[in-house]
Amino acid sequence: MKTFELKTGKPVIISGPCSAETQEQTLETCRQLAASGVVDVLRAGVWKPRTNPGTFEGVGLKGLAWMAEAKRGTGLPIAVEVATSKHVESALEFGVDVLWIGARTTVSPFAIQDIADSLRGNRDVKVLIKNPMNPDLALWAGAVARLENVGIDIKNIGLIHRGFSYFGHTKYRNSPMWHLVLEMRSRFPEMAMICDPSHICGTRTYLLEVSQAAADMRYDGLIIESHICPEKALSDAAQQVTPDALVELVKSIRWRADSTDDPEFKKSLALYRSEIDQIDCEVFDLLSRRMKVAEKIGRVKRDNNVAILQGGRWTSIVDKVVAQSGKLDLSEEFVRTVLEAIHIESIDRQNKVMNS
C-alpha cells in the first residue's frame, strides 16, 4: 500500500469524483486515475453538505465501502470529507487515510471541536482543513489549533485553499483572495498548502489558469475533481474533468524552483525589488496625504452638522476609477478591493474627527 506525506517538496495530486455516486462510477474513475501515474491520493465525497434539502447529499457508508475497495485495488491512499465525529469514526473504520474538513464546517468552532475530540490520540491520520467560506483567517487558524490541542502532529495537518465567498462579480465561483492565503502560509510555514482549483473556479474553463497560479506560488499540491462522465455528475458537474483531461492538465502545469544561484537573476531581482520598495513608499505617502484630506472633509461636515456618507458620491468615485482599470492594466476586482480598503479607512478617519 502506497503511503505519503503531506509535504515532501514534491507536489501531491489528490483527485477523484466530487461525489461517489455508484460503485461502477467510483471504482472506474479511481482505477483510471491510479493507472495514469500522476495521482497520489484518491478522493470522493460520500456525505455532501448541500444548501437545499432534497438535493443529492451523498450515498454515505456505501461510498466508504467503494473507496475502500478502490484503495485495495489500486494501492493508493484515499481521502473523504468529514463534518461530524460519526463521520470520522466511520471513515477510520473503512481505512480512510486522509480526512478533509469542508469550508462549511470550518466556520463552526463547535463542529471543529467535535471532530478534533473524535481524533484525540490518533497521531497518524492526515487531516486537511479547507478555508472557511467567508474570508476569516481567525476561524481557519482556530481549526488548526483545535486539532493540535488534541495531539495531532503538525506535520499531519494540512490546509486547502478553495476560495472565499465574495460579494460582487468575479469570473470564479469563489474568489481566490491569494493575499489571505499568503498570510495563512506565513503563520504556518511548516504546514502543507493544497490548492482546490475545482471549487475556486466552479468550471473547467479556468482550472489550468488557477492551478498554474498555485504552482507559481509554490503550493504543495492540488486537489482536483475528476469523473468518468462529468456531464452526468450528480454534483458540481461543470467543474469536474475526465481522468484523461486531469492527466493532461497536471502535465501542463509548470512547477518552478524556489530560487536559483544564477548571479544575473539575483542582480535583476534586487534591482526590481528596490524599484518596488521606492514605488511602495510613494504610494503610501499619497495615501497618507489622501487621508489628511479626508480628515479635513470630516471637519467641514462636523462644523456644518452634515452626515459622513453622501449619497452617490462614493459610487461615482468607484465607477470612475473602475472605468480606468483596463487602461491602467489592473483587474477590476483588484481596483474594487483597494478602493474598499481606502473607503473604510477614510470613513474611520472622518468618524474620529466628527466625534472629537
Side-chain angles (χ1 to χ4, degrees), residues 12 19 27 48-49 52 60 68 106-107 135 141 143 170 195 244 254 285 325:
V12 60
S19 300
L27 294 179
K48 301 298 296 181
N52 298 309
T106 308
V107 299
T170 171
C195 184
D244 285 344
R254 184 177 180 182
D285 180 64
S325 60

Side-chain angles (χ1 to χ4, degrees), residues 85 108-120 142 145-147 149-150:
S85 57
S108 170
F110 290 116
I112 294 294
Q113 191 60 54
D114 181 48
I115 292 171
D117 289 339
S118 67
L119 288 169
R120 190 179 299 275
R146 290 177 188 277
L147 290 173
N149 288 345
V150 297

Side-chain angles (χ1 to χ4, degrees), residues 124-278:
D124 296 326
V125 67
K126 308 291 192 299
V127 185
L128 299 173
I129 309 167
K130 287 196 174 186
N131 63 259
M133 297 184 71
N134 50 312
D136 187 337
L137 294 189
L139 281 173
W140 206 2
V144 173
R146 290 177 188 277
L147 290 173
E148 283 191 280
N149 288 345
V150 297
I152 299 179
D153 195 318
I154 192 69
K155 69 179 177 60
N156 288 333
I157 303 174
L159 303 169
I160 298 179
H161 170 212
R162 50 83 73 197
F164 301 86
S165 295
Y166 177 75
F167 182 74
H169 176 73
T170 171
K171 67 180 182 180
Y172 303 120
R173 176 181 176 184
N174 294 290
S175 176
M177 297 190 186
W178 300 103
H179 62 289
L180 294 181
V181 183
L182 293 175
E183 169 61 24
M184 192 68 177
R185 293 184 78 182
S186 71
R187 297 186 190 186
F188 301 98
E190 71 277 30
M191 293 176 60
M193 178 65 76
I194 309 295
C195 184
D196 179 354
S198 300
H199 282 88
I200 289 175
C201 297
T203 172
R204 290 178 281 277
T205 306
Y206 306 116
L207 287 178
L208 179 57
E209 172 186 313
V210 170
S211 298
Q212 186 59 63
D216 290 344
M217 287 183 272
R218 295 292 293 167
Y219 276 52
D220 299 290
L222 304 169
I223 178 168
I224 304 176
E225 294 179 347
S226 178
H227 191 295
I228 53 171
C229 192
E231 61 273 15
K232 294 184 178 179
L234 299 181
S235 59
D236 290 342
Q239 68 192 37
Q240 299 190 68
V241 295
T242 64
D244 285 344
L246 183 281
V247 172
E248 183 179 348
L249 186 154
V250 170
K251 289 185 176 180
S252 298
I253 299 169
R254 184 177 180 182
W255 296 88
R256 306 177 193 277
D258 282 332
S259 187
T260 175
D261 292 328
D262 185 339
E264 283 302 314
F265 163 81
K266 292 184 175 181
K267 179 181 177 181
S268 296
L269 193 64
L271 177 65
Y272 294 137
R273 282 177 171 171
S274 176
E275 186 176 354
I276 279 181
D277 289 345
Q278 180 59 39

Side-chain angles (χ1 to χ4, degrees), residues 21-33:
E21 301 164 355
T22 68
Q23 184 176 24
E24 179 184 4
Q25 165 256 355
T26 303
L27 294 179
E28 183 58 21
T29 302
C30 290
R31 186 194 68 76
Q32 290 186 28
L33 291 171

Side-chain angles (χ1 to χ4, degrees), residues 9 69 81 93 114 187 194 262 288 300 310 337:
E69 186 177 347
E81 178 178 348
E93 285 178 1
D114 181 48
R187 297 186 190 186
I194 309 295
D262 185 339
S288 175
V300 171
Q310 295 292 299
T337 299

